[in-house]
Amino acid sequence: MSLVSLLLISSLLLLGCTSPTSRSETTGQTTENSTITDTEALNNDGAQKPESEGLREIDVELIKTSEQLLAKAPHDWKLIYQINNGEIKLTDYIPATEEADNWITKLSFEAHTSLVEIDPITVIMGEIEKSNESCRHLEHSNLFSGLENNYPTSVRLIECGENAMSEKGEITLTKVIQGNEHFYVIRLVKRVAPFKRHQANIMPQEVANWADYLKRIKLCDPEKPDHSCPQT
C-alpha cells in the first residue's frame, strides 16, 4: 500500500469515516433517478468550500423512478461532456479555469442500466484490470466496501504512474453504488507528473478532501424505508 493510501486512510479515520472493510455478503439491489443535493464543494486544489447560491444540480436521471442520487458538482466547475443513450447517462465536469482538451482534474457521474446485477467490487476490479493495459506502476487500495443506506457500495483509490494516452500520472478516487434500477459510478481524476510506485506527487490532504466529498454523495429512495432520504 502506498504512502498516499496510508495517510488517506488515517485522515478518513480522523474524519470519522468508516474504516476499510470487506464487503458484506448481501447481494445489492440497484436503483436510479438522480437529483443532486447537499454535498460540500471542492476548490480547484481540492480544498473544501461551502456551497454557494446558484450551484447547479447535476441531472443524471435516466428514467422516472423514486430513487435519488444526492450530490452536487464542485463550486464553479463546468460541464464539458454529456451523453444519454438510454442505457448510460454520463456527465463530465472540470474546474472553470481548465480547458476541456487539457484538463487537470475531472469529475464524472455515470448511471448504467446494464450493470444493475453486478457487484460493485466486481465493477471496480474490472476497471482496474482494464487500466493495467494502459498504466505503468499501477496501485490500488480499497477504502470502503459495504453498505451505505443499505445500498452495496465500494470506494477505491487508484494510482497510475503513467497513462499511455495522456503520458501523465493519474490519481483516481472511484465510488460505485448498486441501486435498484441503475448502477452509479462517481469518479474524481487528478493528472500529475508521471511517477514511480509509491511516489505520487499529490498532497494526501487533497485526496482526503476528495474522499470526504465522495462520502457525502448518497443514494436514497423516499418511497422505501430501508433507503430513506434526509429530511428537508
Side-chain angles (χ1 to χ4, degrees):
M1 183 178 292
S2 70
L3 178 60
V4 170
S5 301
L6 291 172
L7 291 176
L8 173 55
I9 291 170
S10 298
S11 299
L12 292 175
L13 292 174
L14 290 173
L15 286 168
C17 301
T18 306
S19 60
T21 62
S22 61
R23 183 182 175 275
S24 64
E25 291 299 320
T26 48
T27 56
Q29 297 141 209
T30 359
T31 57
E32 185 343 66
N33 180 325
S34 319
T35 326
I36 286 181
T37 71
D38 215 13
T39 55
E40 290 186 341
L42 304 174
N43 274 336
N44 294 355
D45 61 0
Q48 292 180 352
K49 185 172 182 178
E51 296 175 17
S52 66
E53 293 183 3
L55 193 60
R56 174 200 311 254
E57 285 195 351
I58 303 168
D59 173 20
V60 291
E61 180 180 294
L62 291 175
I63 59 175
K64 292 292 184 181
T65 74
S66 58
E67 193 167 279
Q68 298 175 7
L69 181 68
L70 305 180
K72 270 186 179 176
H75 179 67
D76 285 343
W77 285 36
K78 60 187 179 183
L79 178 68
I80 61 166
Y81 182 76
Q82 186 170 5
I83 186 174
N84 183 359
N85 64 14
E87 293 187 358
I88 178 174
K89 175 69 179 284
L90 167 67
T91 53
D92 287 341
Y93 291 83
I94 62 172
T97 56
E98 296 181 12
E99 299 299 327
D101 58 353
N102 191 32
W103 55 267
I104 296 173
T105 309
K106 184 171 72 172
L107 170 66
S108 299
F109 291 86
E110 301 175 19
H112 300 260
T113 60
S114 60
L115 302 178
V116 293
E117 301 298 329
I118 303 178
D119 177 270
I121 293 179
T122 300
V123 171
I124 285 188
M125 296 310 294
E127 183 171 304
I128 290 169
E129 184 176 349
K130 185 177 180 180
S131 295
N132 258 322
E133 301 173 3
S134 58
C135 280
R136 299 178 61 194
H137 310 301
L138 183 68
E139 292 185 282
H140 55 92
S141 304
N142 178 49
L143 302 182
F144 171 80
S145 291
L147 298 177
E148 280 190 355
N149 201 21
N150 288 315
Y151 291 110
T153 302
S154 189
V155 181
R156 189 165 288 262
L157 174 68
I158 303 169
E159 300 174 56
C160 170
E162 184 176 2
N163 183 288
M165 294 185 65
S166 67
E167 298 183 339
K168 296 179 180 179
E170 293 182 349
I171 309 296
T172 303
L173 261 179
T174 301
K175 180 172 186 173
V176 296
I177 307 171
Q178 188 180 19
N180 291 316
E181 301 294 338
H182 292 80
F183 191 100
Y184 302 89
V185 181
I186 304 98
R187 186 182 294 105
L188 268 164
V189 183
K190 175 71 175 285
R191 286 175 171 171
V192 297
F195 59 90
K196 295 183 179 179
R197 198 176 298 273
H198 308 313
Q199 297 181 14
N201 184 22
I202 189 170
M203 295 297 293
Q205 185 57 49
E206 180 177 356
V207 184
N209 287 343
W210 291 0
D212 187 50
Y213 172 80
L214 291 181
K215 183 176 183 292
R216 295 168 185 268
I217 294 176
K218 304 289 185 182
L219 190 62
C220 71
D221 190 332
E223 296 184 0
K224 295 181 171 59
D226 56 340
H227 302 303
S228 58
C229 294
Q231 297 295 320
T232 56

